[in-house]
Amino acid sequence: MKNLNSVFAAYLAGWGIFFAYYISIARRTASLREEIERLKNSLNRGK
Amino acid sequence: MKKHALASAVVFLLLGAAAYGALFVAPTEKTMGTIQRIFYLHVSSAWTGLTAFFICFLANLLYVWRREPRWDWLAVSAAEVGLVFTTVVLVTGPIWAHPVWGIWWTWDARLTSTFVLWLVYISYLLLRTLVEEPDRRALFSALFGIFAFIDVPLVFGSIRWWRTQHPQPVVMGGSGSGLEPTMWYVLLFSWGAMLSLMALLVRARFEFEAVRGETELVRREAEGA
């Protein structure tokens, strides 16, 4: 099984990139939702 | 939320099955041996990346025609996801190339056109950060996105039109091209799994863009109040 390490490295790198991207979208969306809530609350307090 | 978790689980299972197929079901290639199993991840990621750029191209055309923000959101989502898949191609390619060619990289037509494609779509995303007004940003980036797609047929044709270090195509490559049937099934299954991952990522990124649009509106309202 020559080069098996390279095969696993490629699959780990590929899956790692996809996973990191998915997490980054989820975090960015959650942070925006928090900002919307904060802005809406400050707007409601100002009324 | 429950539906989203279910979709993520299905995609995860499909990716797991695709990896199992690539590592244990597909036969070992005679010339390259085990290292050739990277092919199933590398090629399916490349095809999926090009599919995402095609979706971006269509969404840009639709934005120019209809001027509806949702087409701009779809375009930027597909561009970013296409870029992620192309990044995987550019990372897995050298890992495969090094034991086979003895080098990590060479500036042949396929590798260069793919690298240029990656740079062009990074420029597309950078351009969006330079224009603040949403309608102008959407129009400029749509026009740039339509132009950027020119490189996609070049990437596709590069190994057909020019002599390259990169292997010759397995699809539409003329006589001598093609794959052993089991290799075909595993490749097509891997591509299906990658397309489902692309759909999941584009949907999540589209949702982010929609929330960002809403945030901009609320922010303006808050500034005006």
Side-chain angles (χ1 to χ4, degrees):
Chain A
M1 288 295 227
K2 205 178 150 197
N3 294 319
L4 196 60
N5 286 347
S6 298
V7 175
F8 281 121
Y11 275 84
L12 275 178
W15 279 42
I17 290 168
F18 291 132
F19 185 71
Y21 179 65
Y22 188 58
I23 295 296
S24 96
I25 301 176
R27 279 191 179 171
R28 283 186 284 168
T29 309
S31 137
L32 274 183
R33 283 194 198 285
E34 277 172 22
E35 192 183 339
I36 285 187
E37 280 308 306
R38 211 175 48 243
L39 286 168
K40 279 182 179 169
N41 285 340
S42 69
L43 271 174
N44 286 337
R45 273 200 302 273
K47 277 180 185 169
Chain B
M1 192 69 189
K2 206 174 170 185
K3 241 169 116 178
H4 204 71
L6 186 70
S8 306
V10 169
V11 170
F12 185 77
L13 284 176
L14 284 173
L15 287 174
Y20 179 82
L23 297 174
F24 302 107
V25 177
T28 305
E29 205 263 346
K30 279 179 191 164
T31 320
M32 287 182 268
T34 308
I35 193 76
Q36 187 269 349
R37 292 179 191 278
I38 294 175
F39 164 84
Y40 303 99
L41 173 67
H42 181 77
V43 175
S44 61
S45 296
W47 289 359
T48 307
L50 296 182
T51 308
F53 292 140
F54 183 61
I55 292 170
C56 172
F57 171 70
L58 290 181
N60 281 323
L61 285 177
L62 282 164
Y63 180 80
V64 172
W65 182 35
R66 307 291 291 269
R67 303 293 168 97
E68 292 168 0
R70 63 186 171 140
W71 296 120
D72 176 53
W73 299 345
L74 178 62
V76 66
S77 306
E80 201 175 281
V81 171
L83 203 55
V84 170
F85 277 93
T86 309
T87 304
V88 170
V89 174
L90 290 173
V91 169
T92 55
I95 297 175
W96 182 8
H98 190 254
V100 179
W101 299 345
I103 47 171
W104 295 99
W105 184 265
T106 180
W107 294 102
D108 80 352
R110 169 51 73 88
L111 276 69
T112 306
S113 58
T114 305
F115 184 61
V116 168
L117 185 74
W118 188 75
L119 289 177
V120 163
Y121 278 92
I122 282 185
S123 310
Y124 170 88
L125 294 178
L126 280 177
L127 174 73
R128 295 182 64 88
T129 64
L130 299 176
V131 186
E132 276 200 18
E133 206 274 306
D135 292 339
R136 274 163 59 91
R137 177 176 61 215
L139 184 61
F140 285 165
S141 57
L143 295 172
F144 185 87
I146 292 166
F147 165 77
F149 189 73
I150 292 172
D151 194 36
V152 171
L154 276 179
V155 172
F156 177 81
S158 57
I159 47 175
R160 292 166 178 86
W161 303 331
W162 297 293
R163 207 178 272 275
T164 56
Q165 176 87 26
H166 187 281
Q168 294 305 294
V170 291
V171 180
M172 296 162 69
S175 62
S177 77
L179 282 174
E180 190 270 343
T182 313
M183 289 179 165
W184 258 123
Y185 300 141
V186 174
L187 176 61
L188 291 177
F189 186 85
S190 300
W191 189 31
M194 286 299 180
L195 285 175
S196 71
L197 176 64
M198 179 194 78
L200 183 82
L201 293 175
V202 168
R203 188 186 177 281
R205 183 61 179 76
F206 184 90
E207 194 186 322
F208 167 74
E209 206 59 36
V211 174
R212 180 147 74 181
E214 195 188 340
T215 313
E216 275 179 18
L217 285 176
V218 178
R219 200 180 289 151
R220 266 185 233 158
E221 201 183 324
E223 282 166 4

